[in-house]
Amino acid sequence: MATALAKSHSCFVLMADAEQSSIEKARSMGMISPSMQFKFISVKQGFHENRTIARYQQWLRYVDYQARLLAYAQDWHHEQGFDVAQHVTYTSWRVPSPLWQLGIPFIWGPISGTEVFPRSCLNSVSAGARAFEAVRNIQTWIARRSSSVAVCARNAAAIPAPHPQAVDFLSELRGTRSGVEIAHNFFFPDHRVKELQSARKNFGVSPHLRAFAAGNLEGRKGIAIALMAIARAKRQGVRVEYRVTSRGPEYNHLRQLTKKLGLLDQVSLGLSFSSSEYVSQLGQYDICLLPTLRDGGGLSIMEAMLAGCVPIVADWCGPGEAVTDECGYKIPVTNPVEMAERISDILCYLHTNRGELELKGKAASLRISTDYSEDQFVRSMNKIYSRASSASSGIAFRPV
């Protein structure tokens, strides 16, 4: 985001020092605009090998980072005299940003993390995933009652959010709909759009449907429902080869389910592509099958769409915003059995009607390249900056 915004603004970026070497390397390669300046805040480095534990470590470090951010920002603001402050790190709303206290218009976001895992689908995930969602719900309950979160929301000049559910949630948190608006937190520069679009050579030439998914293997990704759908399609005589290119805390549960459903010869879990293979491999898949049940965006879905894959997603939050009926399929969130049946019916339909793969695949690529481009993001942010600046120091709310 900072790199995109720096093409039309002078950007001063505060970030954790864990990425300092990467930034310096990128600058030496000409990837960093001269209009960008950086200061780094020291954070602990190194994570536990268990990805769930590592995620909690990362969260605690983020809380510590936010606690120390204001002092750095105030000193730099005293030197430079900034016009606008913007929070563009983690998308979560649960930890308030202190940057509203700088006395200049503050943009909080794009943020989300407002999504709720459907209770009707809890029986499709492992016990560990259910426990994680329970803890997250408790955390949500506490954070919604935090005075510091409310003060941050009410003193922001604007709160960009990536989908309508987040807009509704954050409007309630803020106490008004004013200033809360749709602004996507994922977008693609022109060179990435061309790279991903160039991956597609043809549509639906394999005798079997080929489906793809990526992202940390957590219960919320809905992979179990996808496996149930593939098993049902198999019983109806349609073979779907499914590759999920990642691992995570749900891996063992999904591996056991794959075996139980008799899909070991059709499903590959945790076998990733190399970075050099990723783009070319995407173009060989017909479908992006990822009915994620709690996601604010869906970067891997959008990348697959740019490469011409037809998305099949749950009609919920981020993916439900990115996918339209013209370019893919959105499954109502009901329960795992009904959702698997609907997905299976779509898979069987696409197997018989291969022309739909090309029709919707091209529409999917156009959808992302048009509405999730870097230019579109910068235009939307410039409008937000303009409105925030015209409102002087932001919206005057009394602290709660």
Side-chain angles (χ1 to χ4, degrees):
M1 291 186 185
T3 302
L5 294 169
K7 293 178 180 178
S8 52
H9 304 282
S10 295
C11 288
F12 297 77
V13 185
L14 276 166
M15 63 187 301
D17 64 347
E19 301 301 331
Q20 184 170 357
S21 61
S22 297
I23 295 296
E24 292 172 350
K25 180 179 179 181
R27 189 185 292 280
S28 70
M29 298 169 63
M31 298 171 64
I32 301 294
S33 168
S35 65
M36 296 178 73
Q37 296 185 37
F38 294 86
K39 285 192 176 182
F40 299 93
I41 300 176
S42 177
V43 298
K44 293 182 179 179
Q45 298 188 25
F47 291 98
H48 195 280
E49 61 182 14
N50 181 288
R51 295 180 75 166
T52 300
I53 296 174
R55 182 169 179 173
Y56 282 114
Q57 287 179 312
Q58 192 174 37
W59 179 260
L60 292 173
R61 292 175 193 181
Y62 178 60
V63 172
D64 178 64
Y65 169 86
Q66 288 287 72
R68 294 187 289 128
L69 174 61
L70 183 60
Y72 283 82
Q74 286 174 328
D75 288 345
W76 215 3
H77 178 42
H78 180 72
E79 295 174 7
Q80 299 290 340
F82 301 134
D83 299 306
V84 173
Q86 184 172 2
H87 171 99
V88 296
T89 53
Y90 283 12
T91 61
S92 177
W93 60 276
R94 290 172 176 79
V95 180
S97 172
L99 295 180
W100 66 269
Q101 298 177 61
L102 290 177
I104 56 178
F106 167 57
I107 314 301
W108 194 23
I111 56 171
S112 59
T114 62
E115 304 79 28
V116 179
F117 191 100
R119 293 183 63 183
S120 61
C121 294
L122 284 171
N123 63 349
S124 69
V125 302
S126 68
R130 292 195 294 272
F132 181 89
E133 295 300 332
V135 171
R136 185 176 182 275
N137 289 340
I138 293 170
Q139 189 184 49
T140 296
W141 188 90
I142 294 171
R144 290 187 73 163
R145 288 154 181 79
S146 166
S147 60
S148 59
V149 171
V151 168
C152 177
R154 296 180 182 186
N155 282 279
I159 305 180
H163 54 77
Q165 187 272 347
V167 168
D168 292 342
F169 183 100
L170 294 167
S171 295
E172 182 179 348
L173 189 70
R174 179 176 169 82
T176 177
R177 175 66 172 76
S178 176
V180 186
E181 55 189 281
I182 294 287
H184 303 137
N185 55 344
F186 290 126
F187 58 87
F188 300 88
D190 289 344
H191 71 86
R192 185 61 170 170
V193 170
K194 292 177 181 177
E195 182 182 27
L196 287 163
Q197 287 181 333
S198 68
R200 177 64 54 183
K201 305 303 180 185
N202 44 55
F203 292 87
V205 296
S206 170
H208 311 298
L209 288 178
R210 304 191 71 207
F212 164 86
N216 192 29
L217 276 189
E218 301 170 284
R220 67 188 179 98
K221 293 298 183 178
I223 300 296
I225 294 173
L227 294 175
M228 293 164 59
I230 291 170
R232 185 174 183 268
K234 179 180 181 179
R235 293 194 295 270
Q236 295 179 300
V238 174
R239 179 182 174 90
V240 180
E241 296 175 351
Y242 190 37
R243 182 163 181 174
V244 184
T245 63
S246 50
R247 287 178 176 261
E250 203 74 349
Y251 175 81
N252 289 334
H253 171 72
L254 294 172
R255 182 68 179 173
Q256 292 170 7
L257 181 60
T258 301
K259 183 177 180 180
K260 179 181 178 181
L261 294 173
L263 297 175
L264 289 177
D265 64 328
Q266 294 178 227
V267 174
S268 168
L269 296 173
L271 186 62
S272 62
F273 300 127
S274 69
S275 57
S276 60
E277 291 179 317
Y278 180 71
V279 171
S280 62
Q281 287 290 332
L282 270 185
Q284 298 181 32
Y285 286 82
D286 306 306
I287 295 164
C288 177
L289 177 54
L290 190 58
T292 180
L293 299 165
R294 180 173 60 74
D295 206 330
L299 178 61
S300 65
I301 295 172
M302 296 179 197
E303 288 178 333
M305 290 170 68
L306 274 172
C309 295
V310 178
I312 303 177
V313 301
D315 190 7
W316 184 235
C317 299
E321 170 74 8
V323 177
T324 66
D325 293 337
E326 290 72 28
C327 70
Y329 298 90
K330 298 191 289 186
I331 309 302
V333 176
T334 53
N335 62 68
V337 173
E338 289 185 8
M339 293 176 70
E341 289 176 350
R342 287 176 178 264
I343 293 172
S344 175
D345 290 343
I346 293 168
L347 294 172
C348 292
Y349 171 79
L350 291 174
H351 176 72
T352 304
N353 298 273
R354 294 301 182 97
E356 287 292 299
L357 294 173
E358 181 171 1
L359 182 67
K360 288 188 179 292
K362 289 181 176 179
S365 186
L366 180 62
R367 162 70 171 159
I368 301 303
S369 65
T370 301
D371 294 335
Y372 291 81
S373 68
E374 181 180 290
D375 286 345
Q376 187 278 333
F377 171 77
V378 172
R379 286 196 302 270
S380 68
M381 289 311 311
N382 282 338
K383 290 178 182 178
I384 291 173
Y385 291 161
S386 178
R387 288 193 292 269
S389 298
S390 65
S392 184
S393 60
I395 301 174
F397 286 97
R398 291 178 298 174
V400 296

